[in-house]
C-alpha cells in the first residue's frame, strides 16, 4: 500500500464509502418521512370515511351505539390497516375501540378541535402508546357534531414498516460499495502497472532526478525504438557520437554515424562490449533489447575505451603478477624443509616470471644454524633449479659456488638489494666469474638477469637468480618489485624451515641424550626395544629397564603429550624421577603416586610463566612394572597408560585388566591400585605407548586386535617380536612417537638360591657362615668365600643386635643373560624391624658401628628395602672375571678408623 496505486485505491474506496453511507442515511431518513406521511394520510382518510359512512349516524342514535358500531369499526380497521378506529361521544365516552376494555371509558386527549367540527392529525400518546392520530367529527343531519372518530397508527407500527425497507436499502448500499470498490481496484491495478508499483515520493524523486542522473552519468545512454528511431540520448551519448541537436525522433541511419555502428544500433541484435569506431574514439558498445519486458526497442550504453586500451596491457600484467603472488603464497612453504621450500620458489616462478630460476643458500641455513652477521659472505650452495635443461652450462643443485666480489650475486649479498642486468652480454662483473661459461650461457640464449637477496628478520639467507632467455623480454625495474615480493615471502618460509630444522635437531639431540643408550646388565629379563619418533617432530615417549635389588627388574613406559623441546625436557625430568624413586626401592603404587605429585608440581611451577598468562598443562601417562625372577611375580600399575600384553610360552596373548587410574598430574592424591600376576618363565611382557595402537586409519579396538595378531606365536625372541610388531603396526607417517619394550622372563632355579632362618642369638652367626661357605663351594666360588663370609657375618650381626624376629638369610647367585660378566652374588638379611641402618664413621671410643662400613667397602652395592613385615638389608658382590675382591688394603682401612695418638 506504499505505492501510488495503493494510495489511490484507498482514497477512492474511502470516498465511495462516504458517499454510500451518506446515501444510505438519506434513504433511511426519507423512508421514515414517507412512512410517517403515509400514516398521517391513511389515518385521516380512514377517519373521514368512517365518520361520513351513512350508517354511522343511525348507529349513534340507536339504543346501544357500541354494539352496533364496534363490529363495523373492527372490520374497517382491518381493512384500512390502522391500529384502531375509536368513536367518542361528545361526552367523552368511548363507544368503539380496538381494546374492548376501553369501551365506556372517558378519553383524554386534544379532541376539542374535532368537537368544533375541524378534523386534525397529530402525534399523541394514548392508550395504544405513542401514535399518529387523526380525528374527524361526525355530523348529524342538521350538520351538528354528534361524535368524533379517531384513527391512530402507533409509531412502532410506522417503525416496523421502515425496518422492512432497511434490508433493501443496506443491500443496495453494499452492492454499490462492491461495485465501486471493484471499479477502484481495476483503476488502481492499471495505475500500478503504469507506475511499476512506485510510491508517490519515489515517483517524485525519480522524475526529479531522472534528467540529472541520465545526463550526469559518464556512459552514453541511447534508447532506440523498434522502428529504428532515436527516442532518447543523454549528454554523454551526444558528446561521444557528436549527435545534432534535433537527433531525437530521427532514424539512426540519418545521424551520420559509422556504418557498422549504425547497423548495430538499428538492428534487433544484442551486443556485449563490442568495440566500434566513432570519429577518433573507440567505443565499447553494450546493447540490450527491451522486449519482452517492455516495448519493442533497445537500450544502448557507450563507454569511451580509448584510454582504457592503453591501460589494459598494464592491467593485464598487474593481474598476472597478483595471480603469481597469490599462487606463490599457496605453493611456497608447504613443508618445513629448507631445500623443498627453495625448490617451490623456483618452480612457482618458472615460466610465468622467468625462464630459469636458481636459488643459492648459505651453508648454515641448510644445516638449520644461525647465519653469520656479515652479509659479505659470497660462498653459497646451489639448492634449487627450475627451467634448466640437461645441457645448460649453469652449475647444478648441490654445487658449492664461490662468487667473485664483482658478480651480481656477491653485490646483492653484500648490499642487500636487488641487482638488475638487462643485457648480460655487457656485464663485466658477471663475465668475470667464469668467462668461458659466460659465453656458453649467452649462446644458450640467456640474456637478462635479476638477482634478489633472500632476507628474513634482517638477515640475508641467500639469493634467488631469475634469468630470461630468447623469446622473453628483458627484466625491467617494475619486475624487481615483484621479484622482491616473491623473495620476501620465500625468505620467511625458508627462515621458518631453518628454525624448525634447528629446533628439531636440538630436540632430537636432547631426546637422544635423555633416552636409554643401552640396556643394563641384569639376569631377570631378556629385553629388546624399538623407539620411533613421529614425523611431526620429537615427542615425549620413553622407556626404561631399571635393575633393582634382589635380582628384581623394573620396566617403565611413559608418554608426555605433545611434541618438541618442552615434551622432551619433561620426559627427561620424569625419567630421572622414576630412576631416583626406583633406586629407593619404593613400592609400585607409591612410586606412581610420587610421580603424580611431581607432575602436579611441574604444572604449578609453569603456570605463572606460561605465555599470555595461560599455564601449559603437562599431560603424561606412565606404566610401571616390577618383575621378581625368584618368584615369577609381576607387580604393575598404570596411570592413564594402555595396559601391557602378556604372551604365554605357548604363544597365547592376554591383555590383563588393570585398575583405571587417571594420567599423571590429575590423580588429586587418589591412591594407585596395583595388579599382581604370576608369570611363567619364558613369557614375554610387552609394554608400549599409544602411538603403536592408535592411528587415524584405525580405532583402538582394531589396533589392539592387530597387536594381538602380531604377538601371537611361540618360540620368538624379544628381538624377533619387536620386528614382527613394527612390520604389522607401523604406518607410513606415524603422527605420534612409538615406544615398544618386549621382555622375556627368566626364573632363578633352586640351585641358584639358598635360604636360612636365623634365631636372634649371636651364636647363630657361625653356623650360618659355615653353611654359606659350603654353598659357595658347591657353586665353585671358593675364591670369594672370605669376603662373602665377612659381609654376611656383619649383616646377620647387625640384624640380631638391632632388628627383631623373624630373621632370615637369602643367598642368590645370578648369571647375566648376555654380556661378559660372570654374575653377581647377592646377600639378603631380613628381619621384622622397620628401622633402617645407616652408614657412619665410628668414633674412637665406640666399640661397634663399623660393620656397615666394612660391608660398604667390600660390596659393590648395598642398601635397604622395606617389606610389609619389616625390612631387607642387601649387598651385592660382583663375580666379574671370577676374581675375588681386592682385600689387600682392608687392614689399612680398618686401622684408619682409629687415631694413633688416641691409642
Amino acid at each position: 500500500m506504499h505505492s501510488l496505486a495503493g494510495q489511490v485505491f484507498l482514497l477512492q474506496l474511502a470516498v465511495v464509502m462516504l458517499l454510500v453511507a451518506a446515501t444510505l442515511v438519506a434513504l433511511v431518513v426519507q423512508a421514515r418521512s414517507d412512512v410517517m406521511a403515509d400514516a398521517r394520510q391513511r389515518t385521516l382518510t380512514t377517519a373521514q370515511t368512517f365518520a361520513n359512512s351513512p350508517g354511522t349516524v343511525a348507529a349513534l342514535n340507536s339504543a346501544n351505539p357500541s354494539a352496533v358500531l364496534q363490529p363495523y369499526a373492527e372490520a374497517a380497521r382491518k381493512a384500512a390497516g390502522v391500529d384502531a378506529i375509536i368513536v367518542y361521544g361528545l361526552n367523552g365516552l368511548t363507544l368503539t375501540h380496538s381494546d374492548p376494555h376501553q369501551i365506556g371509558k372517558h378519553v383524554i386527549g386534544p379532541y376539542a378541535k374535532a368537537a368544533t367540527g375541524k378534523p386534525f392529525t397529530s402525534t399523541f400518546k394514548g392508550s395504544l402508546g405513542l401514535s399518529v392520530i387523526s380525528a374527524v367529527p361526525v355530523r348529524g343531519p342538521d350538520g351538528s357534531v354528534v361524535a368524533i372518530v379517531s384513527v391512530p397508527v402507533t409509531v412502532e407500527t410506522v417503525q416496523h414498516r421502515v425496518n422492512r425497507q432497511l434490508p433493501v436499502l443496506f443491500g443496495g448500499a453494499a452492492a454499490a460499495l462492491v461495485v465501486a470498490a471493484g471499479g477502484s481496484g481495476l483503476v488502481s491495478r492499471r495505475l500500478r502497472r503504469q507506475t511499476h508499483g512506485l510510491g508517490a515520493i519515489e515517483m517524485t524523486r525519480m522524475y526529479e532526478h531522472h534528467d540529472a542522473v541520465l545526463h550526469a552519468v559518464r556512459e552514453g545512454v541511447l534508447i532506440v525504438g523498434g522502428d529504428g528511431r532515436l527516442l532518447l540520448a543523454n549528454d554523454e551519448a551526444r558528446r561521444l557520437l557528436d549527435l545534432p541537436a534535433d537527433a531525437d525522433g530521427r532514424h539512426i541511419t540519418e545521424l551520420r554515424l559509422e556504418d557498422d555502428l549504425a547497423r548495430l544500433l538499428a538492428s534487433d541484435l544484442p551486443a556485449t562490449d563490442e568495440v566500434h569506431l566513432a570519429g577518433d574514439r573507440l567505443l565499447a558498445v553494450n546493447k540490450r533489447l527491451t522486449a519482452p519486458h517492455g516495448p519493442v526497442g533497445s537500450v544502448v550504453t557507450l563507454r569511451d575505451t580509448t584510454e582504457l586500451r592503453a591501460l589494459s596491457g598494464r592491467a593485464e600484467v598487474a593481474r598476472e603478477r597478483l595471480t603469481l603472488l597469490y599462487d606463490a603464497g599457496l605453493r611456497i612453504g608447504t613443508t618445513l624443509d629448507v631445500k623443498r621450500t627453495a625448490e617451490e620458489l623456483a618452480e612457482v616462478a618458472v615460466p610465468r616470471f622467468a625462464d630459469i630460476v636458481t636459488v643459492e643458500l648459505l651453508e648454515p641455513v641448510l644445516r638449520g644454524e644461525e647465519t653469520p652477521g656479515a652479509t659479505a659472505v659470497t660462498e653459497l650452495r646451489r639448492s634449487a633449479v627450475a627451467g634448466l635443461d640437461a645441457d645448460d652450462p649453469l652449475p647444478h643443485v648441490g654445487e658449492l659456488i664461490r662468487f667473485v666480489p664483482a658478480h651480481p650475486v656477491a653485490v646483492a649479498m653484500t648490499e642487500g638489494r636487488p641487482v638488475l642486468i638487462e643485457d648480460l652480454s655487457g656485464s663485466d662483473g658477471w663475465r668475470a666469474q667464469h668467462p668461458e661459461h659466460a659465453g656458453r650461457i649467452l649462446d644458450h640464449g640467456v640474456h637478462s638477469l635479476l638477482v634478489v637477496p633472500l632476507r628474513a628478520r634482517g638477515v640475508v639467507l641467500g639469493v634467488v637468480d631469475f634469468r630470461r632467455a630468447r623469446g622473453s623480454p628483458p627484466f625491467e625495474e617494475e619486475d624487481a618489485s615483484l621479484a622482491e615480493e616473491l623473495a620476501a615471502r620465500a625468505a620467511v618460509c625458508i627462515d621458518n624451515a631453518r628454525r624448525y630444522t634447528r629446533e628439531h635437531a636440538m630436540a632430537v639431540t636432547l631426546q637422544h641424550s635423555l633416552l636409554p643408550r643401552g640396556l643394563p646388565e641384569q639376569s631377570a629379563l631378556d629385553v629388546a626395544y624399538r623407539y620411533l619418533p613421529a614425523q611431526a617432530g620429537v615427542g615425549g615417549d620413553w622407556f626404561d629397564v631399571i635393575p633393582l635389588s634382589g635380582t628384581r627388574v623394573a620396566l617403565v613406559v611413559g608418554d608426555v603429550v605433545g611434541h618438541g623441546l618442552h615434551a622432551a625436557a619433561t620426559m627427561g625430568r620424569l625419567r630421572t624421577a622414576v630412576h631416583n624413586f626406583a633406586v629407593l626401592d619404593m613400592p609400585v603404587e607409591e612410586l606412581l603416586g610420587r610421580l603424580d605429585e611431581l607432575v602436579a608440581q611441574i604444572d604449578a611451577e609453569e603456570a605463572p610463566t606460561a605465555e599470555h598468562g595461560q599455564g601449559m598443562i603437562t599431560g603424561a601417562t606412565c606404566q610401571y612394572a616390577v618383575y621378581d625372577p625368584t618368584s615369577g611375580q609381576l607387580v604393575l600399575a598404570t596411570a592413564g597408560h594402555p595396559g601391557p600384553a602378556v604372551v604365554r610360552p605357548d604363544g597365547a596373548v592376554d591383555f590383563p585388566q588393570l585398575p583405571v587410574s587417571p594420567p599423571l598430574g590429575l590423580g588429586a592424591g587418589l591412591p594407585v591400585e596395583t595388579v599382581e600376576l604370576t608369570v611363567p618363565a619364558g613369557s614375554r611382557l610387552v609394554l608400549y605407548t599409544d602411538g603403536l595402537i592408535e592411528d587415524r586409519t584405525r580405532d583402538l579396538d582394531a589396533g589392539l586386535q592387530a597387536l594381538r595378531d602380531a604377538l601371537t606365536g611361540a618360540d620368538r625372541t624379544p628381538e624377533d617380536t619387536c620386528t614382527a610388531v613394527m612390520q604389522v603396526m607401523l604406518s607410513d607417517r606415524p603422527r605420534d612417537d612409538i615406544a615398544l619394550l618386549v621382555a622375556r622372563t627368566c626364573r632363578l632355579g633352586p640351585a641358584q638360591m639358598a635360604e636360612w632362618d636365623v634365631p636372634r642369638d649371636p651364636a647363630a652367626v657361625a653356623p650360618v657362615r659355615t653353611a654359606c661357605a659350603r654353598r659357595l663351594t658347591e657353586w665353585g666360588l671358593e675364591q670369594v668365600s672370605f669376603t662373602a663370609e665377612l659381609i654376611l657375618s656383619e649383616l646377620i650381626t647387625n640384624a640380631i643386635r638391632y632388628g627383631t624376629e623373624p630373621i632370615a638369610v637369602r643367598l642368590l647367585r645370578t648369571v647375566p643373560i648376555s654380556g661378559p660378566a660372570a654374575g653377581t652374588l647377592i646377600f639378603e638379611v631380613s628381619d621384622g624391624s622397620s628401622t633402617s641402618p645407616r652408614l657412619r664413621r665410628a668414633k674412637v671410643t665406640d666399640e661397634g658401628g663399623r660393620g656397615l662400613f666394612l660391608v660398604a667397602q667390600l660390596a659393590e652395592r648395598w642398601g635397604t628395602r622395606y617389606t610389609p613385615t619389616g625390612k631387607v638389608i642387601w649387598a651385592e658382590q660382583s663375580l666379574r672375571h671370577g676374581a675375588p675382591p681386592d682385600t689387600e688394603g682392608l687392614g689399612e682401612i680398618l686401622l684408619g678408623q682409629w687415631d694413633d695418638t688416641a691409642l
Side-chain angles (χ1 to χ4, degrees):
M1 289 300 174
H2 69 280
S3 65
L4 179 63
Q7 295 174 9
V8 171
F9 172 75
L10 289 178
L11 181 61
Q12 289 178 336
L13 189 62
V15 171
V16 169
M17 291 180 66
L18 289 175
L19 292 176
V20 171
T23 303
L24 181 62
V25 171
L27 290 176
V28 171
V29 172
Q30 182 64 37
R32 184 179 180 86
S33 176
D34 293 344
V35 171
M36 290 295 291
D38 177 71
R40 292 188 184 96
Q41 183 64 33
R42 188 187 313 160
T43 55
L44 181 60
T45 302
T46 302
Q48 288 178 345
T49 301
F50 193 85
N52 295 324
S53 176
T56 301
V57 177
L60 290 173
N61 293 328
S62 64
N64 190 357
S66 296
V68 177
L69 291 176
Q70 182 67 19
Y72 292 110
E74 283 299 310
R77 179 186 68 81
K78 294 178 180 180
V82 296
D83 291 332
I85 296 179
I86 305 172
V87 179
Y88 301 100
L90 294 180
N91 55 2
L93 293 177
T94 301
L95 301 178
T96 62
H97 201 284
S98 58
D99 183 7
H101 296 91
Q102 299 295 327
I103 296 176
K105 295 182 179 181
H106 288 275
V107 65
I108 300 175
Y111 300 111
K113 187 175 181 180
T116 61
K118 296 181 179 179
F120 70 92
T121 300
S122 66
T123 302
F124 175 73
K125 186 174 184 180
S127 60
L128 297 178
L130 184 62
S131 306
V132 177
I133 298 176
S134 294
V136 176
V138 179
R139 297 181 182 275
D142 55 357
S144 61
V145 176
V146 295
I148 299 171
V149 177
S150 174
V151 177
V153 174
T154 62
V155 174
E156 181 180 357
T157 302
V158 174
Q159 186 63 38
H160 179 67
R161 292 179 180 176
V162 173
N163 290 342
R164 284 187 298 178
Q165 298 181 15
L166 288 180
V168 178
L169 295 178
F170 281 109
L177 182 61
V178 170
V179 173
S184 299
L186 292 176
V187 173
S188 299
R189 182 178 179 182
R190 181 169 182 80
L191 182 61
R192 183 179 60 191
R193 287 200 304 266
Q194 296 293 331
T195 60
H196 300 284
L198 297 176
I201 298 177
E202 295 172 342
M203 291 185 63
T204 302
R205 185 183 297 113
M206 181 184 67
Y207 284 108
E208 287 177 350
H209 297 284
H210 172 267
D211 291 340
V213 172
L214 182 65
H215 297 291
V217 70
R218 296 186 61 184
E219 289 189 354
V221 179
L222 300 175
I223 299 180
V224 181
D227 55 356
R229 295 184 177 277
L230 180 63
L231 302 180
L232 177 66
N234 67 348
D235 294 343
E236 184 68 9
R238 293 179 182 275
R239 183 185 70 84
L240 295 176
L241 298 178
D242 194 18
L243 297 177
D246 59 346
D248 293 349
R250 297 174 61 180
H251 199 275
I252 292 296
T253 56
E254 301 174 2
L255 300 179
R256 295 173 297 179
L257 302 177
E258 299 292 337
D259 295 340
D260 57 345
L261 179 59
R263 284 194 298 270
L264 174 63
L265 298 181
S267 67
D268 56 353
L269 299 177
T272 301
D273 288 336
E274 292 188 8
V275 179
H276 291 271
L277 185 65
D280 57 350
R281 296 186 178 91
L282 287 176
L283 303 181
V285 181
N286 288 275
K287 179 181 177 183
R288 295 293 180 268
L289 303 180
T290 57
H293 306 290
V296 178
S298 59
V299 176
V300 181
T301 59
L302 308 172
R303 186 172 66 254
D304 191 354
T305 62
T306 305
E307 298 179 359
L308 293 179
R309 280 288 177 178
L311 297 176
S312 60
R314 285 182 287 176
E316 181 64 21
V317 172
R319 186 190 66 80
E320 292 178 355
R321 291 180 175 180
L322 289 176
T323 304
L324 176 61
L325 291 177
Y326 175 77
D327 293 342
L330 296 178
R331 296 175 55 183
I332 299 177
T334 57
T335 65
L336 290 174
D337 182 80
V338 174
K339 293 187 64 177
R340 180 56 192 157
T341 305
E343 292 171 357
E344 291 170 344
L345 169 60
E347 292 169 359
V348 79
V350 175
R352 290 191 289 179
F353 182 70
D355 297 311
I356 301 174
V357 175
T358 60
V359 180
E360 290 85 26
L361 298 176
L362 295 170
E363 283 287 338
V365 175
L366 294 172
R367 295 193 299 265
E369 301 173 359
E370 291 289 344
T371 58
T375 59
V377 179
T378 58
E379 188 174 271
L380 303 173
R381 187 172 297 277
R382 181 149 293 171
S383 303
V385 174
L388 191 65
D389 297 332
D391 58 344
D392 283 343
L394 294 174
H396 293 272
V397 175
E399 295 187 29
L400 185 63
I401 307 173
R402 183 176 288 104
F403 295 95
V404 298
H407 194 276
V409 171
V411 174
M413 288 286 295
T414 304
E415 301 181 4
R417 62 174 180 84
V419 177
L420 171 62
I421 301 178
E422 297 184 9
D423 185 8
L424 282 177
S425 60
S427 174
D428 296 335
W430 175 75
R431 286 178 173 272
Q433 175 71 25
H434 203 302
E436 182 180 352
H437 281 186
R440 293 174 57 191
I441 291 173
L442 292 175
D443 293 340
H444 275 75
V446 178
H447 58 82
S448 185
L449 173 66
L450 177 58
V451 181
V452 182
L454 295 170
R455 297 176 59 91
R457 299 184 298 114
V459 178
V460 178
L461 307 177
V463 295
V464 53
D465 306 332
F466 301 97
R467 296 176 176 85
R468 285 183 179 175
R470 61 173 61 95
S472 300
F475 288 109
E476 300 176 353
E477 291 296 334
E478 293 183 357
D479 296 322
S481 60
L482 175 61
E484 282 188 288
E485 182 67 24
L486 281 174
R489 298 191 180 192
V492 172
C493 297
I494 291 174
D495 186 58
N496 291 338
R498 179 194 62 80
R499 297 172 67 183
Y500 170 78
T501 302
R502 181 186 60 180
E503 181 180 348
H504 182 72
M506 293 172 58
V508 169
T509 303
L510 175 63
Q511 185 188 45
H512 287 175
S513 66
L514 296 176
L515 287 173
R517 299 187 179 182
L519 297 176
E521 293 182 1
Q522 43 83 30
S523 58
L525 298 170
D526 181 12
V527 181
Y529 66 90
R530 293 289 188 274
Y531 183 85
L532 184 66
Q535 293 291 335
V538 175
D541 291 13
W542 90 92
F543 65 92
D544 251 322
V545 179
I546 307 173
L548 303 177
S549 63
T551 70
R552 297 172 305 128
V553 178
L555 301 176
V556 188
V557 173
D559 182 7
V560 176
V561 177
H563 296 85
L565 290 175
H566 181 268
T570 304
M571 177 268 288
R573 297 177 68 178
L574 297 183
R575 179 171 178 257
T576 302
V578 171
H579 265 275
N580 294 335
F581 294 151
V583 169
L584 297 176
D585 268 319
M586 287 185 177
V588 174
E589 64 277 9
E590 183 179 353
L591 186 144
L592 285 183
R594 294 292 181 88
L595 203 61
D596 178 74
E597 295 176 359
L598 175 62
V599 174
Q601 182 180 356
I602 292 175
D603 290 341
E605 292 174 353
E606 292 184 350
T609 59
E611 296 181 0
H612 309 297
Q614 298 181 357
M616 182 181 295
I617 302 301
T618 302
T621 62
C622 183
Q623 186 173 135
Y624 185 74
V626 176
Y627 174 69
D628 188 351
T630 62
S631 62
Q633 188 181 54
L634 178 68
V635 182
L636 57 88
T638 181
H641 200 85
V646 179
V647 185
R648 303 291 178 180
D650 60 356
V653 181
D654 294 332
F655 290 96
Q657 294 295 327
L658 302 182
V660 178
S661 297
L664 298 176
L666 302 178
L670 298 177
V672 178
E673 298 184 42
T674 61
V675 170
E676 296 183 3
L677 305 175
T678 300
V679 182
S683 300
R684 282 168 288 164
L685 308 177
V686 182
L687 283 69
Y688 51 88
T689 57
D690 57 359
L692 182 68
I693 58 175
E694 293 183 2
D695 191 79
R696 56 186 169 185
T697 60
R698 63 181 176 224
D699 57 16
L700 180 60
D701 293 338
L704 290 175
Q705 184 59 42
L707 179 60
R708 180 189 296 273
D709 296 339
L711 292 174
T712 302
D715 299 331
R716 281 185 182 176
T717 65
E719 189 68 30
D720 294 338
T721 303
C722 288
T723 303
V725 170
M726 297 303 287
Q727 287 178 350
V728 174
M729 304 297 295
L730 187 62
S731 62
D732 296 335
R733 294 182 61 85
R735 295 189 302 170
D736 197 4
D737 295 2
I738 296 175
L740 174 64
L741 190 64
V742 180
R744 183 168 58 186
T745 59
C746 301
R747 293 286 292 271
L748 293 182
Q752 296 176 273
M753 296 185 293
E755 296 181 340
W756 301 279
D757 293 329
V758 181
R760 193 178 182 186
D761 184 0
V765 177
V768 175
R769 186 169 58 233
T770 302
C772 174
R774 188 165 49 249
R775 180 54 65 94
L776 291 177
T777 301
E778 294 175 0
W779 287 344
L781 301 176
E782 296 88 349
Q783 70 274 16
V784 299
S785 294
F786 175 75
T787 307
E789 291 178 23
L790 184 57
I791 293 175
L792 192 60
S793 298
E794 293 298 335
L795 293 180
I796 297 175
T797 302
N798 186 75
I800 292 175
R801 178 174 295 182
Y802 302 107
T804 59
E805 293 183 334
I807 301 174
V809 175
R810 187 169 71 165
L811 187 63
L812 304 174
R813 182 192 177 184
T814 65
V815 178
I817 296 176
S818 61
T824 305
L825 192 61
I826 300 175
F827 310 92
E828 293 184 347
V829 178
S830 62
D831 65 81
S833 172
S834 60
T835 303
S836 175
R838 60 187 180 88
L839 183 64
R840 67 184 180 89
R841 183 176 294 274
K843 298 180 181 179
V844 175
T845 57
D846 292 344
E847 296 182 0
R850 296 172 181 83
L852 288 181
F853 181 82
L854 292 176
V855 172
Q857 292 296 322
L858 297 175
E860 188 171 299
R861 295 194 308 157
W862 77 279
T864 303
R865 71 173 183 269
Y866 294 96
T867 65
T869 59
K871 67 177 181 297
V872 175
I873 303 176
W874 56 271
E876 293 183 2
Q877 183 179 359
S878 176
L879 303 177
R880 186 175 296 112
H881 307 305
D886 184 12
T887 58
E888 295 179 358
L890 183 58
E892 297 295 334
I893 295 174
L894 292 175
L895 291 175
Q897 295 296 305
W898 289 274
D899 189 355
D900 294 339
T901 60
L903 294 176

